[in-house]
Amino acid sequence: MYTLGEFIIENRDKFLYSTEALLRLFSSIKLASKSINKEINKAGLTEEIIGSSGFTNIQGEPQQKLDHFAHRAFIESFKSRNVVCGIASEESKDFIVIKGEKENIFQNKYVVLIDPLDGSSNIDVNIPIGTIFSVYIRKTPIQMELTIEDFLQKGNKQILAGYIIYGSSTILVYTTGNGVHGFTLDPSVGTFYLSHPNLHFPKREKIYSINEGNYARFPEGIRNYIRYCQEKRRPYPYTARYIGSLVGDFHRNMIQGGIYIYPKTVHFPCGKLRLLYECNPIAFLTEQAGGKASDGKKRILDIKPINLHQRTPFICGPVEMVSKLEEFIKNEK
Ligand code: AHG
Ligand code: MN
Ligand code: MN
């Protein structure tokens, strides 16, 4: 059974960039995710990790203690591996600059965008949560100051994206543009082993995932699509599954065959999910798993971001399911 490191080396000719850099990136990601995993497993035993931190993030959402812990774990871990020059995080208003080993020199060329803890409202109730990450090559020349444009790149420029799901087991799933591969953490040795090679949406259309509590606030096309899923779909209706952790909902849908939808609502006129930290990485994985990711009209990966924390409506899943929903949106009166 391959470890993640062995798998990367074995497949090094398929990665267009430096294998050493990729190993260092994963070394940072593994280190931080293992310490988060350890903390999550203690939830309920200590007051230090469950509950609200008392702060809100840039978008006014309450931050959980574990949001902070995960954010700091990733920043420290990336700092220590000397491969990244900047990080933008859902939990931080501005991007964070990381200088290279030589004082004051920005020698590294990779930037990371991260949702350190996804699904944080589920921390206290033992439901899967995750981390979502995404890596780009900076646009400005090495040794120059980073600018916001290094982070506001279209999703189609990602060189690496993935997530860690802290569920019944802890799994790291990633793509570099050569398929989607999943590795399960063996906690007894602290090693990720290849468990899900070449993940792909199955042919079977089975699930729709949407927060139906917002039904009355959805646009007409979305409401019509939900009715189609429940009443009109032949030969059988889809089954509804929604846990409120994008990582968990997506992971299940990719394995079992389903569509994930977070549309605009009356309260979230641009949708709720963040383009840079959530939608782009999941869209890259979706396409690499043979699916389609859209904002209802256009491809997520072609959107030019205009600010770090912008939101977008988000739909991802098997191509036929997403295209069908796009038809409903198009036919909206
Ligand atoms: P985060 O915890 O990073 O803020 O993300 C939560 C997101 C996503 O994981 C999930 O799918 C969605 O919010 C759930 O939102 P609703 O509770 O509005 O359905
Ligand atoms: Mn999130
Ligand atoms: Mn988050």
Side-chain angles (χ1 to χ4, degrees), residues 41 66 73 102 131 154 175-177 185 187 206 246 289 296 316 321:
N41 287 338
L66 208 55
K102 290 182 213 143
T131 293
K154 288 185 183 173
T175 186
T176 55
L185 178 66
K206 187 177 167 196
L246 171 63
C316 65
M321 293 182 89

Side-chain angles (χ1 to χ4, degrees), residues 35-152:
S35 76
I36 294 165
N37 188 57
K38 207 163 137 240
E39 287 305 302
I40 291 171
N41 287 338
K42 287 191 290 191
L45 294 175
T46 148
E47 283 299 303
E48 279 154 35
I49 35 176
I50 57 171
S52 163
S53 68
F55 297 100
T56 54
N57 68 12
I58 170 75
Q59 291 168 318
E61 296 159 342
Q63 281 176 326
Q64 306 295 312
K65 289 176 192 161
L66 208 55
D67 282 325
H68 275 292
F69 179 89
H71 170 79
R72 284 197 310 272
F74 273 99
I75 305 293
E76 289 313 313
S77 179
F78 279 119
K79 272 187 184 165
S80 72
R81 293 298 187 266
N82 192 34
V83 58
V84 159
C85 57
I87 302 178
S89 162
E90 187 187 277
E91 301 303 333
S92 171
K93 178 169 168 277
D94 299 310
F95 63 83
I96 296 157
V97 174
I98 298 182
K99 291 181 177 166
E101 261 167 1
K102 290 182 213 143
E103 204 52 29
N104 293 327
I105 297 197
F106 303 90
Q107 72 209 50
N108 293 322
K109 65 175 180 182
Y110 300 96
V111 294
V112 170
L113 290 91
I114 192 157
D115 177 355
L117 220 285
D118 172 67
S120 41
S121 64
N122 288 324
I123 295 167
D124 301 1
V125 289
N126 285 58
I127 286 174
I129 48 186
T131 293
I132 311 175
F133 57 89
S134 167
V135 180
Y136 298 77
I137 293 179
R138 61 183 295 178
K139 287 176 87 176
T140 48
I142 284 185
Q143 304 200 352
M144 301 291 285
E145 293 276 344
L146 281 178
T147 75
I148 188 87
E149 289 308 319
D150 291 314
F151 297 89
L152 299 182

Side-chain angles (χ1 to χ4, degrees), residues 6 29 31 63 80 94 112 114 121 138 163 210-211 223 227-228 246 282 287 307 314:
E6 287 166 353
I29 293 165
L31 179 67
Q63 281 176 326
S80 72
D94 299 310
V112 170
I114 192 157
S121 64
R138 61 183 295 178
Y163 58 81
I210 185 167
N211 185 344
R223 292 203 305 262
R227 280 197 293 274
Y228 162 81
L246 171 63
I282 298 294
E287 291 193 3
N307 74 62
F314 187 56

Side-chain angles (χ1 to χ4, degrees), residues 300-316:
I300 288 290
L301 295 180
D302 289 337
I303 299 175
K304 170 70 182 97
I306 47 176
N307 74 62
L308 282 180
H309 297 280
Q310 88 187 58
R311 301 177 192 266
T312 176
F314 187 56
I315 302 158
C316 65

